[in-house]
Amino acid sequence: MTDDSPHGGFPKFTRATPPPDYGRLIEALRTVQDLAVSTDLPDDQLALAADQAEKLAATMAPYVVPEGLSPAGRALDLPGRGSLLMLPWTIEKYGAEGVRSTGVFRRFHLGGNGAAHGGTLPLLFDDLFGLIQHAYGRPISRTAFLHIDYRAVTPLNEQLVAEGHVTKVEGRKTFVEARLTKQDGTLVAESNALMVQLLPGQQ
């Protein structure tokens, strides 16, 4: 068994501390995502926006690096850890007793009628559960199942709180649960999941 065996086949990622302009870039791109799903541009402005987007893509393309070398996902001080995939939430508590994160669902996450898309909640909880089991000291794991009970409409642009903890450990299995609430404590959704530790070499 190698030194990396607790990580399965995962490499050991290190924390990234990118320069401030990286945070600016990620926030600007998030804003572009919001605007892309909430604007109806006239033809001339649509062509201009497409030209600018293509120019930005061309600027960035020569600098693609392998997984684990980009700051994305490793910039712990940035919302969503600097990853555009993750919801732009901020970790407020991180420890063996649990993890708490706060943030909003933006226009980009709209499902309909002013509410966040139901499919964005599994992403929020799944990411939170990965943080929870890691903070608890468990090895790299994969999600075996994730169950959500939707208790209320998830609003956009309203500060929410997601908080959870480990409930039980059985060998390679880590059971976790979490709640999503409004600032006043109103329950929006609750979730539980099973995380299973990877075997040596597993992906």
Side-chain angles (χ1 to χ4, degrees), residues 3-28:
D3 290 340
D4 286 344
S5 60
H7 295 259
F10 271 69
K12 291 183 179 179
F13 295 141
T14 57
R15 178 173 182 160
T17 307
D21 283 341
Y22 182 77
R24 287 181 55 220
L25 172 64
I26 295 300
E27 177 56 27

Side-chain angles (χ1 to χ4, degrees), residues 3-197:
D3 290 340
D4 286 344
S5 60
H7 295 259
F10 271 69
K12 291 183 179 179
F13 295 141
T14 57
R15 178 173 182 160
T17 307
D21 283 341
Y22 182 77
R24 287 181 55 220
L25 172 64
I26 295 300
E27 177 56 27
L29 291 173
R30 290 192 192 283
T31 301
V32 168
Q33 288 180 318
D34 291 334
L35 292 170
V37 298
S38 61
T39 55
D40 184 14
L41 298 173
D43 290 348
D44 60 334
Q45 295 301 306
L46 181 61
L48 176 61
D51 288 345
Q52 292 175 329
E54 290 172 351
K55 182 178 179 181
L56 175 60
T59 298
M60 299 174 73
Y63 303 99
V64 172
V65 293
E67 179 184 358
L69 296 182
S70 167
R74 300 189 301 123
L76 304 186
D77 295 329
L78 294 178
R81 303 191 304 285
S83 169
L84 283 176
L85 174 64
M86 297 300 110
L87 289 138
W89 285 42
T90 301
I91 300 169
E92 291 194 341
K93 183 180 78 173
Y94 181 87
E97 73 283 358
V99 174
R100 180 175 62 246
S101 182
T102 60
V104 301
F105 289 85
R106 297 168 62 143
R107 180 64 182 268
F108 180 68
H109 307 117
L110 174 67
N113 201 26
H117 192 292
T120 59
L121 271 70
L123 175 61
L124 175 69
F125 280 119
D126 192 45
D127 186 55
L128 182 67
F129 289 147
L131 293 172
I132 288 170
Q133 64 93 32
H134 190 266
Y136 192 79
R138 297 291 290 165
I140 294 287
S141 302
R142 288 286 195 187
T143 307
F145 75 73
L146 189 152
H147 175 85
I148 296 179
D149 290 311
Y150 297 86
R151 302 301 189 187
V153 170
T154 305
L156 297 185
N157 301 314
E158 180 177 334
Q159 193 79 1
L160 302 175
V161 179
E163 186 166 15
H165 60 275
V166 171
T167 59
K168 183 172 59 174
V169 174
E170 293 180 351
R172 294 170 53 215
K173 299 178 180 179
T174 304
F175 295 86
V176 287
E177 65 181 22
R179 291 161 50 92
L180 177 65
T181 64
K182 296 185 178 182
Q183 289 286 337
D184 64 3
T186 300
L187 182 62
V188 175
E190 50 193 342
S191 180
N192 63 83
L194 168 61
M195 314 293 286
V196 177
Q197 176 188 348

